[in-house]
Amino acid sequence: MFVLFSRKLKDFFTLSLSLMANLARFSKRALRSAHALARQHVQAQPVLTAQRSFATEAAKSIAPAADRVKWDYRGQRKIIPLGQWLPKVAVDAYVAPNVVLAGQVTVWDGASVWPGSVLRGDLNKISIGFCSNVQERSVLHAAWSSPTGLPADTSIERYVTIGAYSLLRSCTIEPECIIGQHSILMEGSLVETQSILEAGSVVPPGRRIPSGELWAGNPARFVRTLTHEEILEIPKLAVAIHDLSRDHYSEFLPYSTVYLEVEKFKKSLGISV
Amino acid sequence: MGTLGRAFYAVGFWIRETGQALDRLGSRLQGNYLFQEQLSRHRPLMNLFDKAPSVHKDAFVAPSASLLGDVHVGPSSSIWYGCVLRGDVNSIVIGSGTNIQDNSLVHVAKSNLSGKVLPTTIGDNVTVGHSAVLQGCTVEDEAFIGMGATLLDGVYVEKHAMVAAGALVRQNTRIPYGEVWGGNPARFLRKLTEDEMTFFSQSALNYSNLAQAHAAENAKGLEESEFVKVLHKKFARRGEEYESALGGVHETPAELNAQDNVLLDKVPKA
């Protein structure tokens, strides 16, 4: 008797819980649609009053597209071919999964491109030489033409270390250099072999950093020449970072196993696998 | 031949099952240090409760960009790879034909020291260079923000003005029409010539065209991108010297041809 009563109580509880859950879901949905309706009517006014006149036309005509992709399970592809140009990555080069290589990009042997970088070779070529590294969050781009006579593609020769958060645009970096963190190299600049650029330096367009010297500042100015020991350290740094990238590289399987998750996902949605 | 094909298919399945079982075995051996791959949960357009980004359908938003909160993007604009546009506290309005280049950051997150919280407004045909940081500032039409520039709260950049690369523009600075400001802290450098001002509009237009090529490429589904990979392997060229020495001409399939605007558009020199 007691068992029956407790079972009835359990049923009652589950029923009420499910009712409440449904109620919550419906009310949330109703609230959301009411919100959307309200926003559509009210959206024009506050935007108009808050913005300068030049932006009102733009604000009035912006409407979210119904087919705008809000989320793609694949995320961002690492290698983006543009037409005939396919970015080439050497077999033992480490390119983090976070990186975007687009257009004409070649990453040669032993090189590494660390997370967050964007290498956009859509207007011109980008090549990362042997055992060089492009550290985190850098942006390498190449303009169509450069103001100096130098080739407008960004070419980074061997044993170059490009520090984190640097921006390189259409520059040529000769072998064995160190570019400090957060440095900005503009169109047509040339960094000659065995020179070091301090962190935070900005190299104006068409500037040449002579060989064997240390430059710093915004705009980059000469600081001192490098001693022989420092020059010998430059390729050693590149090789050390290459060894570090081996550790990072070995963390990744040759092929990702995301396909298993995708199959589970598709099965849960009822799409045939 | 049907039975042979089916035999290969079955053997293929056995090998894959064996591989998956070996994968599970290896995962067990790895124990605590195992990493299980997850689907990418990165959302290019993310809404914060009721503040949703509204992006025009002609605009290119890179999949690795993040538009969070109250962000409006106009037609023909482009938000490139790795950008973060954070409209959580206030709104961000980006006009038409504007490009926010790679790894830039636009936000209105903190409240000002003076207590004002400013919406960020970027007009039409503005070029914001790579890795720029714009916080609570207003940029009028046809301006040019150089790469790596940092614009702090309350900065007002007027039409056709230019912020040089790597500049740090302090709070509440107003950059007048047609001037170049640069350095840290940003100072007046020089006035812009007419050619340079027209160059800004031209560069914004070029970027819109480039963005269309990237948008088309990023929107490709799995089948299309795999097909393109196969085509690249088949028509792999050994380099221009090899071809011209032989004098042969290779026929490239239509899918491998870039859009005209990518190849023909030239960005004039700065």
Side-chain angles (χ1 to χ4, degrees):
Chain A
M1 186 61 180
F2 186 67
V3 173
L4 216 66
F5 179 70
S6 67
R7 206 178 302 151
K8 274 221 175 82
L9 209 62
K10 205 163 37 137
D11 288 341
F12 171 72
F13 272 134
T14 48
L15 190 64
S16 62
L17 268 171
S18 64
L19 265 176
M20 284 196 285
N22 279 329
L23 203 67
R25 210 180 316 138
F26 283 136
S27 62
K28 232 188 286 179
R29 212 177 287 169
L31 206 66
R32 220 182 294 154
S33 56
H35 251 277
L37 275 173
R39 257 177 354 111
Q40 269 171 12
H41 291 305
V42 180
Q43 201 172 31
Q45 273 103 336
V47 176
L48 270 176
T49 49
Q51 307 313 322
R52 274 43 176 215
S53 55
F54 63 94
T56 42
E57 285 77 21
K60 268 191 277 192
S61 61
I62 296 172
D67 56 346
R68 160 66 58 181
V69 169
K70 294 246 172 75
W71 176 68
D72 187 346
Y73 73 89
R74 290 176 297 146
Q76 166 79 56
R77 272 189 291 156
K78 195 161 73 174
I79 295 190
I80 310 235
L82 288 173
Q84 274 176 314
W85 303 320
L86 178 68
K88 288 195 293 237
V89 180
V91 188
D92 55 351
Y94 165 62
V95 177
N98 232 346
V99 172
V100 178
L101 306 177
Q104 289 165 299
V105 182
T106 315
V107 181
W108 293 101
D109 302 52
S112 44
V113 184
W114 293 74
S117 303
V118 178
L119 273 71
R120 240 191 335 130
D122 42 18
L123 294 173
N124 222 318
K125 276 203 315 262
I126 296 181
S127 77
I128 316 283
F130 172 75
C131 220
S132 295
N133 57 82
V134 177
Q135 292 192 9
E136 287 89 344
R137 280 232 141 219
S138 320
V139 178
L140 272 70
H141 190 215
W144 189 272
S145 58
S146 83
T148 60
L150 282 171
D153 52 340
T154 304
S155 73
I156 297 166
E157 305 273 349
R158 56 184 200 275
Y159 292 115
V160 172
T161 304
I162 299 183
Y165 207 75
S166 37
L167 311 170
L168 271 67
R169 198 175 148 87
S170 279
C171 50
T172 310
I173 304 186
E174 293 195 355
E176 298 183 17
C177 289
I178 295 184
I179 311 286
Q181 301 177 338
H182 206 331
S183 47
I184 302 180
L185 271 75
M186 303 205 59
E187 283 96 337
S189 43
L190 167 68
V191 182
E192 286 194 0
T193 176
Q194 289 169 348
S195 56
I196 296 185
L197 263 178
E198 283 271 312
S201 51
V202 175
V203 181
R207 192 56 57 94
R208 178 182 78 101
I209 313 282
S211 156
E213 296 183 5
L214 173 70
W215 283 52
N218 174 359
R221 289 187 202 82
F222 171 75
V223 176
R224 61 178 174 89
T225 53
L226 294 171
T227 65
H228 193 63
E229 287 79 28
E230 288 171 335
I231 292 184
L232 286 178
E233 283 295 315
I234 299 177
K236 285 196 205 158
L237 177 65
V239 171
I241 297 182
H242 165 76
D243 291 337
L244 194 59
S245 75
R246 295 293 94 214
D247 285 341
H248 287 251
Y249 186 82
S250 59
E251 275 300 313
F252 292 95
L253 289 171
Y255 295 100
S256 87
T257 48
V258 167
Y259 72 98
L260 293 167
E261 297 292 319
V262 174
E263 288 180 357
K264 265 189 247 173
F265 188 55
K266 281 189 163 173
K267 197 177 293 188
S268 71
L269 288 180
I271 306 173
S272 69
V273 168
Chain B
M1 282 306 115
T3 41
L4 193 61
R6 215 173 307 172
F8 275 134
Y9 192 64
V11 170
F13 252 117
W14 294 341
I15 296 180
R16 282 186 77 176
E17 279 173 9
T18 315
Q20 286 191 0
L22 281 175
D23 183 56
R24 283 194 292 271
L25 175 63
S27 309
R28 284 266 294 280
L29 281 176
Q30 282 189 328
N32 278 338
Y33 299 112
L34 166 70
F35 175 71
Q36 271 208 303
E37 301 223 8
Q38 301 292 329
L39 292 173
S40 161
R41 300 185 67 181
H42 169 81
R43 292 188 260 176
L45 271 66
M46 184 171 113
N47 61 329
L48 291 167
F49 187 53
D50 55 344
K51 301 188 195 179
S54 63
V55 181
H56 196 271
K57 67 176 162 60
D58 287 343
F60 163 59
V61 174
S64 54
S66 309
L67 272 66
L68 322 168
D70 202 357
V71 182
H72 302 263
V73 180
S76 306
S77 290
S78 40
I79 316 285
W80 291 83
Y81 302 102
C83 291
V84 178
L85 274 73
R86 204 152 42 96
D88 38 13
V89 171
N90 213 322
S91 67
I92 298 180
V93 177
I94 298 183
S96 61
T98 303
N99 56 83
I100 313 279
Q101 294 181 24
D102 321 78
N103 272 349
S104 303
L105 175 60
V106 181
H107 66 69
V108 205
K110 300 196 277 265
S111 62
N112 217 339
L113 278 176
S114 62
K116 287 191 296 170
V117 181
L118 304 151
T120 303
T121 312
I122 301 180
D124 304 334
N125 294 320
V126 177
T127 306
V128 176
H130 316 288
S131 286
V133 176
L134 276 69
Q135 176 156 339
C137 53
T138 310
V139 182
E140 286 195 0
D141 305 348
E142 323 260 339
F144 188 98
I145 313 283
M147 49 184 187
T150 306
L151 274 67
L152 297 177
D153 299 43
V155 166
Y156 193 102
V157 181
E158 292 190 5
K159 275 199 213 283
H160 291 289
M162 172 167 161
V163 178
L168 173 72
V169 186
R170 308 284 314 281
Q171 283 92 341
N172 295 316
T173 315
R174 191 179 178 99
I175 300 187
Y177 171 95
E179 296 189 4
V180 180
W181 282 50
N184 175 354
R187 284 182 216 88
F188 169 74
L189 288 184
R190 62 180 176 89
K191 282 205 173 301
L192 284 169
T193 66
E194 281 299 316
D195 294 339
E196 291 173 328
M197 292 202 224
T198 47
F199 164 62
F200 293 163
S201 331
Q202 185 62 32
S203 99
L205 190 63
N206 289 335
Y207 253 93
S208 301
N209 290 334
L210 200 56
Q212 294 309 314
H214 279 259
E217 187 54 45
N218 272 308
K220 285 197 180 158
L222 183 65
E223 290 84 18
E224 285 187 65
S225 48
E226 294 300 311
F227 181 55
V228 166
K229 274 194 208 169
V230 167
L231 281 179
H232 273 290
K233 277 206 195 126
K234 265 189 79 176
F235 292 95
R237 301 160 150 246
R238 286 241 213 117
E240 286 95 30
E241 305 88 31
Y242 183 77
E243 269 178 25
S244 55
L246 288 183
V249 172
H250 287 260
E251 269 277 324
T252 49
E255 280 86 355
L256 286 188
N257 278 330
Q259 287 178 284
D260 282 335
N261 48 22
V262 175
L263 295 178
L264 295 181
D265 259 38
K266 286 189 185 254
V267 178
K269 299 200 271 247

